[in-house]
Amino acid sequence: NPDSQFYPEIVPGLPIRLLHHSRIIRQGEVTRAWYSHADEGGRINATDAISKLANARVPEDTILSDTVRVRAIEAIEASAVDIYAWPPIIGGDPAIAPAPSGDFSAWEVIAEAARGVLLVPMVNNGNRLFFRHWHAPLDRGRIISSPNLVDIAAWTSDEGLFSVVRAQEPGGALEERRATPTPRYGERVHERTRDTINAESWAARVLAD
């Protein structure tokens, strides 16, 4: 449609953002655009920085530091993805075990580093990487209250329930914590086989959750 103010800009790679009352909800880049003249409508697919990080490789010879945020910054720089690790982690940048050797995506490097100290990597509405503490779920203080949402459904799952948690100390020894008495669902094991500083504390925190 040459009369559109967006013509011919809607192509893969176009920066895009969703706003609500002038607030940016999400932003990223267009990956696919489709339009049907018959239906007089279309669809735009877009992706944020997580997808970019998951598809970008960190060269195997990259030297990575032993703290979470610095390692994330190094992985981002090595993979040449346009995203900034911001802001500093609350409580400081925690130490982690040396990075394993191998071919990994930037997101794998970042997520694994965070998991070792029970942090959660996230991308905010400014398309910036940040970390929150695993025991502090994100709460934006919003609720769903419209009576018109008649199709809304709620569900729960037991897939996150574990009665045994094991974590590997640097050097290979496994630290184990068990729920006592054993829950009704029996022995269900969650095991971390990557080197973990303070593996005993890590296992205890996961089991307590």
Side-chain angles (χ1 to χ4, degrees), residues 49 69 73 76 81-88 124 127-130:
R69 185 169 182 269
I73 292 172
I76 291 169
V81 174
D82 183 20
I83 182 175
Y84 179 63
W86 175 94
N124 66 9
N127 220 24
R128 294 291 184 261
L129 177 71
F130 72 104

Side-chain angles (χ1 to χ4, degrees), residues 14 22 30 73 159 179 182 203:
L14 175 72
S22 300
V30 171
I73 292 172
E159 62 187 73
T182 301

Side-chain angles (χ1 to χ4, degrees), residues 118 120 122 130-141 209:
L118 295 177
V120 180
M122 304 179 71
F130 72 104
F131 298 88
R132 69 168 174 82
H133 289 279
W134 178 76
H135 61 272
L138 185 65
D139 181 5
R140 293 191 172 100
D209 181 73

